[in-house]
Amino acid sequence: MTISAFTLARRLRAGETVFSGWCSLPYPIVAETVGREGFIAVTLEAQHGLWDMGAMLTGVAAVRQSGAAPLVRVPVGDFAMVSRVLDFGAEGIIAPMINTAADARALVAAAKYPPLGERSWGPHRVTALAGIADQAVYLREANDHVVTLAMIETRTALDNLDAIAQTQGIDGLFLGPSDLSIALSDGKTLDPLSKDVERELDRIIATAERAGKIAGAFCHTAERAVALGKRGARFLAVMSDIAMLRAGTAAALKVLKAG
Ligand code: 3PY
Ligand code: MG
C-alpha cells in the first residue's frame, strides 16, 4: 500500500510543471471550485489570507475532494501550524521568509518525521482522507510525499541561498517576488517583475537545480507562470481566487456596459 492519493511530490519528482491555484478567501467551496476547474494543486493562503483553523480543516478536505493536491502557505515562523495542516491532509507547505539554514531546519523539523525532522505523530485526519487504513504506511511514506517549499524573499535569504537549498528535507525554493522587490529596492518599490528580481530568480532556479531541488514562484498572471515554467521553475502559484473573481467580474461588466 502507498499514499496513492498524494500526487504532488510524485509529479514534481517526475519533472512535471505544476500550476497551483492560490486561495485567500476562507471558504472551502471556493478552493474546491478552483481545484475542480483543473488545477493540479490548490494552495490555501494563510499568511495574508483570511483562513482560520476551522475553515482550514474543511478547506484541505474540500481541495482533496476536488481532485487537486492541497498545499498551505503558513504565516511567518508558524511551524506549529505546519504540523497541524499536514495532519489535516495537506501535501505541501509553503513557508514564508525562510532566511537562514536555521529557519530551513525549523521548517523541516515541523514537516518531516525522524530522521529528517521532529514532526509529532497524529495524522488521523490525513490518513482517513487519503484512505490509508494502516497508519504505519503514512509514517513510512510521509517524508517522501510531503513537499516543503522555502520562500526566498529577503536579502538575508539570498545571502544564504545555497545553505537553504542544501538543507536536507527542504524540497524546493519558492520566490516571493513582491517582498523580494521591496527588499531589493530598500522599501522604495513594489515591482514583482523588476530587473533585480528577474536576476535573482535565475539564481534561485540555478541554485535549486544544483542542490537537486525544485524552484517555484508566485505569479500574478497565467502568462508569467507559463514563462517561468519555460525558465525551469516547476511549482507555480497562479493569481489568486480574489484576482480571478475580479477579472471574471470585470470581463462580464465590460461586455454588459458595451452592450
Ligand atoms: C510575495 O510575492 O512576496 C509573496 O509572498 C507571494 O504571495
Ligand atoms: Mg511575501
Side-chain angles (χ1 to χ4, degrees):
M1 199 179 181
T2 60
I3 309 185
S4 51
F6 277 41
T7 58
L8 179 65
R10 214 172 19 240
R11 286 180 187 279
L12 291 172
R13 226 170 272 133
E16 279 185 44
T17 304
V18 172
F19 299 114
S20 174
W22 186 265
C23 292
S24 296
L25 296 171
Y27 303 110
I29 200 163
V30 172
E32 181 181 327
T33 302
V34 171
R36 282 195 190 284
E37 284 302 313
F39 271 103
I40 282 174
V42 175
T43 302
L44 308 184
E45 195 323 46
Q47 182 189 8
H48 303 293
L50 306 174
W51 295 92
D52 60 35
M53 288 308 275
M56 182 65 78
L57 173 64
T58 319
V60 169
V63 172
R64 180 159 299 292
Q65 180 160 306
S66 79
L71 293 93
V72 177
R73 199 250 300 255
V74 298
V76 176
D78 196 341
F79 299 114
M81 186 168 168
V82 169
S83 302
R84 289 201 80 195
V85 296
L86 292 175
D87 286 348
F88 291 178
E91 292 188 32
I93 298 292
I94 301 177
M97 301 279 173
I98 297 296
N99 293 333
T100 63
D103 290 346
R105 282 196 299 274
L107 168 57
V108 173
K112 309 265 181 170
Y113 293 117
L116 280 180
E118 299 169 349
R119 179 176 167 194
S120 177
W121 182 250
H124 309 300
R125 181 61 177 151
V126 59
T127 48
L129 279 178
I132 300 166
D134 177 1
Q135 289 196 335
V137 171
Y138 187 79
L139 175 60
R140 200 167 58 233
E141 300 189 4
N143 281 1
D144 280 344
H145 289 268
V146 162
V147 176
T148 53
L149 299 176
M151 286 197 73
I152 304 299
E153 43 187 356
T154 65
R155 286 178 188 267
T156 315
L158 291 175
D159 289 344
N160 294 311
L161 204 53
D162 275 308
I164 294 168
Q166 283 162 21
T167 301
Q168 245 202 322
I170 291 292
D171 298 306
L173 305 177
F174 185 84
L175 166 70
S178 293
D179 274 313
L180 192 62
S181 74
I182 292 170
L184 293 177
S185 66
D186 293 324
K188 290 194 192 67
T189 338
L190 172 65
D191 178 5
L193 302 175
S194 77
K195 269 206 212 68
D196 289 342
V197 171
E198 285 292 277
R199 183 192 63 236
E200 296 302 338
L201 174 60
D202 284 333
R203 204 159 73 80
I204 290 168
I205 293 172
T207 305
E209 273 173 7
R210 259 199 323 276
K213 310 291 173 75
I214 64 135
F218 179 82
C219 300
H220 290 87
T221 64
E223 289 76 9
R224 171 80 171 159
V226 168
L228 294 198
K230 290 183 179 148
R231 277 163 70 178
R234 285 289 158 264
F235 180 86
L236 297 153
V238 187
M239 299 174 70
S240 70
D241 50 359
I242 298 172
M244 288 173 176
L245 197 55
R246 290 187 64 190
T249 308
L253 282 170
K254 196 170 164 194
V255 173
L256 294 172
K257 282 177 187 159

